[in-house]
Amino acid sequence: MSKQVSFTLNGKSAIAEDGETIWQVAKRKGVDIPHLCYLDKPGYRSDGNCRACMVDIEGERNLAASCIRKPSEGMKVNTATERAEKSRKMVFEMLAADMPARDSGPDDKSVFWAWAESFGIDGSDRLPNKFADDLREVHDISNPAIAVNMDACIACGLCVRACREVQVNDVIGMAQRGSHSVPVFDIHDPMGLSTCVTCGECVQACPTGALYEKTLMDEAGKTRQIKEFDKSVNSVCPFCGVGCQTTINVKDNKIVQVDGRDGPANENRLCVKGRFGYDYAMSNERLTKPLIRRDDAPKRGDIDMRFMKIEDVFREATWEEAMAKSAEGLMAIEKEYGGDALSGFGSAKGSNEEAYLFQKLVRQGFGTNNVDHCTRLCHASSVAALLEGVGSGAVSAPFTDAMVSDCVIIIGARPATNHPVAATYFKQAAKKGTKIVVMDPRQQDMMKFAEHALQFKPGTDVAMLNALLHVIVDEELYDEQYIQANVTGFAALKEKVKDFAPEDMAEVCGIPAETLREVARLYATSERSIIFWGMGISQHTHGTDNSRCLIAMALITGQIGREGTGLHPLRGQNNVQGASDAGLIPMFLPDYRSVENADIRSQFENVWGATIDPKRGLTVVEIMDAIHEDKIHGMYIMGENPAMSDPDQLHARAALAKLKHLVVQDIFLTETAWHADVVLPASVHSEKLGTFTNTNRQIQIGRPALDPPGEARQDLDIIIDLANRMGLGWTYDGVSDVYNEMMLVMPSLSNIPWSRLIKEDAVTYPAKSENEPGSAVIFEDGFPTADGSGKLVPADLRAPDEVPDEEFPMVLTTGRLLEHWHTGAMTRRSDVLDHIEPEGIAAMNPYEIARQGLVVGEMVSVETRRGAISAVLRADREVADGMIFIPFCFNESPANVLTNPQLDPFGKIPEFKFCAAKIGRYEEVQAAE
Ligand SMILES: Nc1nc2c(c(=O)[nH]1)N[C@H]1C(S)=C(S)[C@@H](COP(=O)(O)OP(=O)(O)OC[C@H]3O[C@@H](n4cnc5c(=O)[nH]c(N)nc54)[C@H](O)[C@@H]3O)O[C@H]1N2
Ligand SMILES: Nc1nc2c(c(=O)[nH]1)N[C@H]1C(S)=C(S)[C@@H](COP(=O)(O)OP(=O)(O)OC[C@H]3O[C@@H](n4cnc5c(=O)[nH]c(N)nc54)[C@H](O)[C@@H]3O)O[C@H]1N2
Ligand SMILES: [Mo]
C-alpha cells in the first residue's frame, strides 16, 4: 500500500499519495500554482530551481518550491499568502527583465508570458537586462528546424532534462555558473553542428521559446510570426511502427507545427521525422490530377524521369477517364488470362480500412490471392517463424515493457535511428539498471548503453544464437517446468545445439566464447528478459532460422507470457501490423486465416458474397518473377514503391515495364509510377481518417488535418470506386462502416468497436471486454497453436547466399538513415530532413577507406553481380572492416540496383543485408569501361 500523508492546503485538509509533491496535490485540488522549470509531463522530474512555484509553509522562515517539496504529516501549506504571491511575481519580473520584450522575443505566447500576464507583468522598466552588455552570441539558427535565442533563456534546465533524461540523447548540458549558467550543445557547439538529432523534445519543453520551431517564426528565426492556429488535430505519426500520438497544428490548410501527445507508445515524445518531417504532405510535387500514359511514351525499365518532363510521358486526365481506364485494363486481362494474371501491392502506410478493402478487391474483384505488401521485404521471415512456433505473428509484449525488464536483448535492430522513440525507453531502462545486450555487426548508439555489445560477423546469427542455446542447455539454465507445460520439441533442439559449443562458434561469429556464455546466463537467469529484433535478423536467406533461434531462447527459458518478457519484432511501417492483420498477405485472409482452408474461405464468402480462390497467391518478389515469366500481366499498386524497395532493381523495374497494365495510386510520381499506365493521385496520412496499428498491437485513430490538394482523392474512395467499376457493388457509408465489416470477420477486433477507438484514441488488441484495457502481454497461458504449446524448431548453419570472392571482395549491407524513410518518396520532399541528409552515400570504416586508397567525400562506384551505382563516400566508424553500408533512400544512388533477390525459403524475404560487392573510384571505373 502506498503511504498517505495528511496535511492542510489553503485551510482545507488534503491527502498526498506516496511521493506526491505539494504542487501535484494542489493541481489535483484545482489550485493553480505557476511553474516554469517544472513540466507536468511523464518523464520529467522536478528540479526546483526557478522559484516560480513558491508557497508558504506555516512555521517555516523561507518559502518552499512546491514542485519539489513533499508535504509532511500535519504540514500547513498556503499557496496564496501575500508573501508567496509577491515572491512569485518578483520572480517573473526579474526573468522578464532579462528577456527580449514580449513582442520581439521568440514566442509571445510561451508558457512564461502566459503566467507573467496573469500577474500583470509584461516586462520590467526598473530592473537591468543581464544581456545588455553581454558579448556572447545568443542567436543560433544553425539547426535546420530549431531556432535558438538564448536571450530568452531562463536557465530552468528543462531542455537539459528533455535531452538527457527523457530522450536520453545527452547533447544539451549546462555551462557556466550562477546567473551566467546557460544550456550548451555538446562542448558549446552551434546546435546544427552538434550531435543533436533534432528530436525537438527540448523545444516542446522550453517554457520561453528560447528553443523554438523555425516554421512558426520570421525568416531570421527571432520572433514568432504565426500566432494562431486554425485548428489542432489529434492524430498519429505517419512514419514508423512506434505509433507516436501527435497534435497537428494547421494554419491556412498547411501544417505549421506538430507536437507529441501523451499516447501509450510515446508519452509526448517524437523524433525528427514525426516532429519536423510532416511537410512532404504539402510538397508542390504532390500529385493533384490523374495521369494517363501517353501513347507515344513506351514503357522502359531503365527510364529515369528525374531529368524528364512529366508531360512527355503522361497527360492529365479526368477522374472519370482515369478510373474507367484503370478498371477496363484490369478486367481485360482477367478476361483474357484469368484472375491469376493480376496482382496487387497494398500499403502499410495506409489505414487498416484501406488495407482491408484493398485485399478484398483483389480477392473478390481480381479473383486471385496475388496480394502482398512490404511486410514481405520486412518481417516476413520473423512472422513465418512466429506463426510456426507460437501461433501468432504479433509481438508478445509492448516495447515499453523494457522498462520493467531485467535483461533486454536488441539484435539486428537499430532503434535509435529506426524506432527512435522506442529507443528512449530502452535507454531509460539501461539508466535504471536494466542490462542491455546489443548484437549487431555494425556498431550503433544503443551499444553505449549496453552491458554487452556484440559486434559479430554479419550473417552468422544462427551460429551465435545456437551457441547461446547450447550454453542454456549445457549449463541447465532452462526452465524445465515451463517446457513440460508449454513447449514441444525440446529433445530435438537439445540434440541440435550440442554441436554449437561457444568455444567452437567463437571463430565463426567472432565473439569470444566467454562472452557468449555470459550473455546466455544473463538472459536465461534474469527474472525478466525480453528480445527485440529487426531487419538484421529477418532480411536474410536464413531469416526464418534466425528467428527460430530467438523463439527457442524465449521458450526454453520461459521468458515469455509475463510482463517484461517476450518476443518483440519491432514492426517497421506505421501500419504494417495492421495491414498484415487485415489480410494484405497472399496466403492469409484477415487475421492470418489460411486461404487454403475451405471452412475459413466460406466464412468470408458468406460475408463478401463471392467465391475466393482456394490457392495461395504469389509474394512480392515472386510477383516480379511471374511478370518476367509472362504469368502476370496487370497490377494495382497503392502506396508502395517497389521500383526502389525491391531487391535487384533493374530486374524489378524491367518487370514493371513489361506489365500490360499498371495502375499506381500514390501521392507522388514515384519511380514505380514512372512505369504506370494510369496514376491516381491519393491522399496522405494527414488528410485521412482511419485506424492504424502499431508494433505494440495498439490500434489508434489517425484524423484528417488537411484537405487533399487539387483533385487528389481519398485512398479509400478510390479503392471503392475501382471495385464498383469492376462490378462489385460495394456500398460503404464511410470509414467506420468498413471498420464494422472488419469486426465481423476479424475476431482480433472483438470488444473494440469504432466508438471505443474514437473515445479512447488507442486500444490494444486482443481485448477481453469493452470496458477493460486490451491485453498488453499475451501467451500468459500457452499459445494459440493447434495443441496449445510453443513449438521448437532447431536451425542449422547456412551461409548467406552470396559470399565475397576475389572479384567481389566486400560485403554490402543496406538499411536506413534516421532522417529518411525507405525509398525517400516522402522524406526527400521534406525540407528539414533532406537538408540534413541531402545526397546518396556509401559508408565505410575510415581504416578500410584508407586501405583501399579511397578518399572520403569523393564519388565512388559500388558494383555487384546485379549492377553498379555511384555514391559519395562517407567515413563511418560504425561500419565493420570489409563492409560497405548503403541506405536505400536515394534515387541517385539506388542501393537496390545492387542487392541480391535470393529468397528465404519460408518467409520469401530477400537477402537485403548481405551480398558480395566491390568498390572503386567512380572516375577510374568509368574510364575503364
Ligand atoms: N529512419 C527510418 N526509420 C525507419 C525506417 C526508415 O526507412 N527510416 N523504416 C521502418 C521499417 S519499415 C522498418 S522494417 C524498420 C527497420 O528497422 P531495423 O530493423 O533497425 O532496420 P535496419 O537498420 O535495416 O537493420 C537493423 C540492423 O541490422 C544489422 N544487421 C546487418 N546484418 C546483420 C546480420 O547479419 N545479423 C544481425 N543480427 N544484424 C545485422 C544492421 O547493422 C542494422 O543495425 O525501421 C522502421 N523505421
Ligand atoms: N536494400 C534494401 N531494401 C529494402 C529494405 C532494406 O533494408 N534494404 N527494407 C525493406 C523494408 S523493411 C520495407 S518495409 C520496404 C518498404 O518499401 P516501400 O513500402 O515500397 O517504401 P516506402 O518508401 O515506404 O513506400 C511508400 C509509398 O507510399 C506512398 N505513400 C505514402 N503515404 C501514402 C498514402 O497515404 N497513400 C498512398 N496512396 N500512398 C502513400 C509514398 O509516396 C511511397 O511511394 O523496403 C524494403 N526494401
Ligand atoms: Mo519494413
Side-chain angles (χ1 to χ4, degrees):
M1 269 306 280
S2 60
K3 197 172 138 252
Q4 294 185 329
V5 176
S6 326
F7 71 111
T8 313
L9 181 70
N10 294 347
K12 291 186 191 141
S13 61
I15 304 275
E17 303 294 334
D18 199 20
E20 263 187 321
T21 61
I22 297 174
W23 192 94
Q24 285 166 326
V25 180
K27 182 191 165 194
R28 261 202 295 113
K29 299 257 168 206
V31 177
D32 260 2
I33 306 177
H35 58 114
L36 293 172
C37 76
Y38 173 59
L39 186 60
D40 181 28
K41 296 270 167 70
Y44 286 88
R45 66 174 167 82
S46 40
D47 197 44
N49 71 54
C50 78
R51 315 272 116 185
C53 67
M54 304 307 271
V55 295
D56 233 324
I57 297 176
E58 215 173 279
E60 292 193 8
R61 197 157 58 88
N62 295 327
L63 296 170
S66 63
C67 75
I68 199 159
R69 184 72 183 269
K70 292 173 186 159
S72 54
E73 199 61 36
M75 182 187 265
K76 292 200 170 77
V77 180
N78 209 327
T79 65
T81 60
E82 196 189 333
R83 187 166 80 121
E85 280 178 354
K86 215 165 144 188
S87 152
R88 295 197 299 248
K89 187 170 173 183
M90 190 64 199
V91 166
F92 277 85
E93 185 181 346
M94 284 165 70
L95 292 172
D98 286 338
M99 242 185 254
R102 182 170 184 175
D103 55 2
S104 59
D107 180 15
D108 60 345
K109 298 204 174 313
S110 64
V111 168
F112 173 83
W113 283 118
W115 280 115
E117 190 177 284
S118 72
F119 302 117
I121 289 173
D122 62 357
S124 175
D125 38 24
R126 55 189 184 119
L127 299 171
N129 180 313
K130 79 170 175 190
F131 289 98
D133 23 64
D134 197 320
L135 298 177
R136 278 177 303 175
E137 186 53 73
V138 293
H139 180 60
D140 169 9
I141 49 168
S142 56
N143 182 293
I146 302 167
V148 184
N149 286 288
M150 282 301 167
D151 48 357
C153 173
I154 57 172
C156 70
L158 261 181
C159 55
V160 179
R161 276 171 279 153
C163 188
R164 304 212 131 159
E165 296 172 21
V166 178
Q167 294 262 353
V168 204
N169 286 328
D170 284 339
V171 179
I172 310 184
M174 269 323 202
Q176 321 270 23
R177 284 168 188 276
S179 70
H180 290 286
S181 63
V182 59
V184 296
F185 305 97
D186 291 337
I187 45 170
H188 214 152
D189 294 310
M191 189 179 199
L193 300 182
S194 72
T195 56
C196 165
V197 291
T198 314
C199 69
E201 183 75 29
C202 56
V203 175
Q204 191 163 312
C206 177
T208 65
L211 294 154
Y212 209 58
E213 286 99 342
K214 283 182 172 175
T215 45
L216 296 176
M217 305 180 94
D218 59 358
E219 195 90 347
K222 290 204 158 162
T223 307
R224 178 165 175 173
Q225 288 260 295
I226 298 178
K227 308 269 187 187
E228 307 285 345
F229 305 131
D230 296 339
K231 58 180 167 183
S232 297
V233 178
N234 285 341
S235 192
V236 285
C237 177
F239 288 104
C240 86
V242 169
C244 296
Q245 291 193 358
T246 56
T247 300
I248 305 175
N249 292 310
V250 178
K251 176 87 183 162
D252 300 331
N253 200 33
K254 289 204 158 53
I255 301 175
V256 288
Q257 196 236 12
V258 169
D259 258 339
R261 218 167 21 115
D262 192 7
N266 67 312
E267 294 176 294
N268 301 304
R269 297 166 221 170
L270 292 177
C271 79
V272 62
K273 290 182 295 300
R275 193 184 300 278
F276 298 116
Y278 51 75
D279 52 331
Y280 73 92
M282 294 143 356
S283 159
N284 56 16
E285 290 180 58
R286 278 289 298 278
L287 291 168
T288 56
K289 283 205 160 139
L291 301 173
I292 289 183
R293 187 171 210 91
R294 291 171 54 129
D295 294 335
D296 57 356
K299 297 181 189 173
R300 286 177 19 208
D302 62 350
I303 193 171
D304 185 344
M305 284 196 52
R306 283 179 302 154
F307 309 108
M308 291 174 71
K309 286 205 196 104
I310 295 178
E311 313 81 271
D312 291 342
V313 180
F314 295 99
R315 64 178 172 81
E316 288 181 353
T318 62
W319 269 105
E320 179 50 42
E321 186 191 3
M323 289 308 296
K325 190 170 163 78
S326 300
E328 282 157 18
L330 294 167
M331 286 188 298
I333 289 169
E334 192 199 341
K335 204 159 155 219
E336 188 171 349
Y337 305 96
D340 284 345
L342 293 177
S343 64
F345 288 172
S347 181
K349 296 232 75 66
S351 67
N352 287 321
E353 295 74 21
E354 290 162 7
Y356 173 79
L357 286 192
F358 190 96
Q359 59 86 35
K360 181 176 170 185
L361 167 60
V362 172
R363 295 195 152 111
Q364 190 188 7
F366 296 7
T368 174
N369 289 306
N370 291 336
V371 61
D372 206 357
H373 74 292
C374 64
T375 191
R376 194 65 42 211
L377 309 175
C378 188
H379 267 303
S381 48
S382 317
V383 171
L386 286 166
L387 286 172
E388 165 193 86
V390 296
S392 159
V395 302
S396 77
F399 61 73
T400 37
D401 265 22
M403 296 293 284
V404 293
S405 296
D406 303 293
C407 165
V408 169
I409 291 187
I410 299 170
I411 178 164
R414 204 173 184 75
T417 50
N418 301 331
H419 298 89
V421 171
T424 64
Y425 290 91
F426 303 155
K427 294 188 261 183
Q428 287 193 2
K431 287 181 85 167
K432 265 184 354 99
T434 299
K435 303 257 192 310
I436 309 259
V437 180
V438 181
M439 305 175 174
D440 199 303
R442 188 175 160 209
Q443 280 175 31
Q444 54 163 293
D445 239 39
M446 282 308 303
M447 286 183 172
K448 285 195 295 230
F449 298 85
E451 176 86 3
H452 296 283
L454 277 54
Q455 194 181 2
F456 68 109
K457 293 185 191 164
T460 64
D461 295 74
V462 170
M464 179 174 67
L465 299 173
N466 270 353
L468 301 183
L469 287 165
H470 175 99
V471 177
I472 295 170
V473 171
D474 185 42
E475 300 186 7
E476 295 183 7
L477 308 174
Y478 50 85
D479 184 338
E480 182 81 57
Q481 226 175 340
Y482 184 84
I483 295 172
Q484 273 182 16
N486 298 294
V487 182
T488 59
F490 189 44
L493 182 87
K494 256 179 158 168
E495 192 53 37
K496 170 62 68 186
V497 301
K498 254 194 194 144
D499 302 337
F500 287 83
E503 292 67 23
D504 298 329
M505 290 305 113
E507 177 80 8
V508 183
C509 66
I511 302 297
E514 196 43 37
T515 310
L516 294 171
R517 286 194 180 270
E518 278 171 30
V519 170
R521 289 174 198 140
L522 176 67
Y523 174 80
T525 61
S526 290
E527 172 76 26
R528 282 170 292 198
S529 297
I530 187 165
I531 305 176
F532 296 94
W533 75 94
M535 298 298 102
I537 284 289
S538 64
Q539 291 174 334
H540 284 284
T541 46
H542 46 88
T544 307
D545 281 340
N546 292 347
S547 307
R548 284 171 174 153
C549 296
L550 298 175
I551 295 166
M553 283 172 61
L555 287 180
I556 66 169
T557 54
Q559 295 285 16
I560 190 161
R562 290 174 288 127
E563 196 187 31
T565 70
L567 294 165
H568 190 125
L570 283 155
R571 305 309 306 259
Q573 291 268 31
N574 57 325
N575 197 36
V576 65
Q577 183 63 54
S580 305
D581 297 344
L584 273 186
I585 301 189
M587 35 283 199
F588 298 122
L589 287 154
D591 263 359
Y592 308 90
R593 278 166 312 145
S594 173
V595 291
E596 289 162 325
N597 179 316
D599 288 343
I600 292 171
R601 275 199 314 279
S602 79
Q603 289 169 29
F604 283 86
E605 287 168 347
N606 286 341
V607 178
W608 293 354
T611 48
I612 296 170
D613 185 1
K615 17 174 232 317
R616 54 167 62 198
L618 298 177
T619 60
V620 166
V621 180
E622 288 173 340
I623 286 171
M624 294 298 171
D625 290 338
I627 299 169
H628 281 293
E629 291 159 14
D630 286 324
K631 290 182 186 146
I632 287 184
H633 300 290
M635 270 192 94
Y636 173 31
I637 301 179
M638 167 192 158
E640 288 230 327
N641 193 6
M644 282 289 288
S645 57
D646 271 23
D648 193 0
Q649 192 170 96
L650 302 180
H651 174 86
R653 289 190 184 188
L656 292 173
K658 191 162 182 245
L659 286 167
K660 291 191 198 321
H661 190 62
L662 171 61
V663 179
V664 172
Q665 175 174 328
D666 206 290
I667 53 175
F668 296 115
L669 194 70
T670 59
E671 295 75 10
T672 301
W674 293 351
H675 304 84
D677 294 270
V678 188
V679 182
L680 306 173
S683 49
V684 300
H685 188 276
S686 49
E687 292 157 2
K688 65 175 82 160
L689 175 68
T691 62
F692 298 82
T693 308
N694 72 0
T695 187
N696 289 343
R697 289 182 271 107
Q698 287 148 347
I699 309 175
Q700 310 196 85
I701 295 266
R703 294 186 179 81
L706 303 176
D707 302 323
E711 294 176 23
R713 283 174 78 187
Q714 292 290 342
D715 279 295
L716 202 71
D717 294 342
I718 306 175
I719 302 170
I720 295 173
D721 190 351
L722 190 58
N724 286 334
R725 284 172 195 265
M726 296 185 79
L728 302 188
W730 288 0
T731 49
Y732 289 103
D733 186 13
V735 181
S736 59
D737 204 19
V738 180
Y739 183 84
N740 290 343
E741 180 177 312
M742 293 172 70
M743 281 194 75
L744 281 182
V745 293
M746 295 176 66
S748 65
L749 301 180
S750 301
N751 301 311
I752 314 180
W754 180 261
S755 54
R756 179 173 181 184
L757 287 168
I758 293 288
K759 196 165 94 217
E760 297 181 25
D761 257 11
V763 182
T764 302
Y765 79 77
K768 291 200 180 94
S769 80
E770 266 196 51
N771 35 35
E772 280 170 280
S775 312
V777 175
I778 52 175
F779 311 145
E780 279 160 323
D781 17 61
F783 299 92
T785 51
D787 63 0
S789 50
K791 182 173 156 197
L792 297 169
V793 183
D796 224 329
L797 272 191
R798 266 188 304 128
D801 179 64
E802 190 184 75
V803 290
D805 55 19
E806 229 163 79
E807 195 187 355
F808 295 100
M810 304 283 290
V811 172
L812 169 72
T813 189
T814 63
R816 300 160 163 77
L817 298 174
L818 168 64
E819 292 80 5
H820 282 301
W821 193 257
H822 294 147
T823 67
M826 296 153 76
T827 49
R828 295 211 75 194
R829 293 175 172 99
S830 157
D831 283 349
V832 168
L833 302 176
D834 202 50
H835 176 100
I836 302 176
E837 284 289 1
E839 62 186 4
I841 57 132
M844 283 205 303
N845 194 288
Y847 289 96
E848 186 71 57
I849 292 176
R851 257 195 304 278
Q852 305 232 1
L854 299 168
V855 179
V856 174
E858 73 177 343
M859 232 358 152
V860 287
S861 168
V862 183
E863 191 180 337
T864 67
R865 291 197 168 80
R866 270 72 52 197
I869 64 167
S870 61
V872 175
L873 185 60
R874 175 178 290 181
D876 182 345
R877 284 173 194 278
E878 294 182 341
V879 181
D881 282 347
M883 293 188 76
I884 308 166
F885 165 75
I886 306 183
F888 68 107
C889 50
F890 298 106
N891 61 9
E892 67 275 32
S893 309
N896 277 322
V897 165
L898 307 172
T899 47
N900 185 359
Q902 196 60 42
L903 301 182
D904 171 276
F906 308 97
K908 309 274 184 188
I909 192 170
E911 194 138 69
F912 283 128
K913 288 288 180 270
F914 199 110
C915 71
K918 65 180 173 193
I919 187 165
R921 293 199 130 127
Y922 181 68
E923 278 162 21
E924 285 167 17
V925 175
Q926 290 297 93
E929 272 169 7

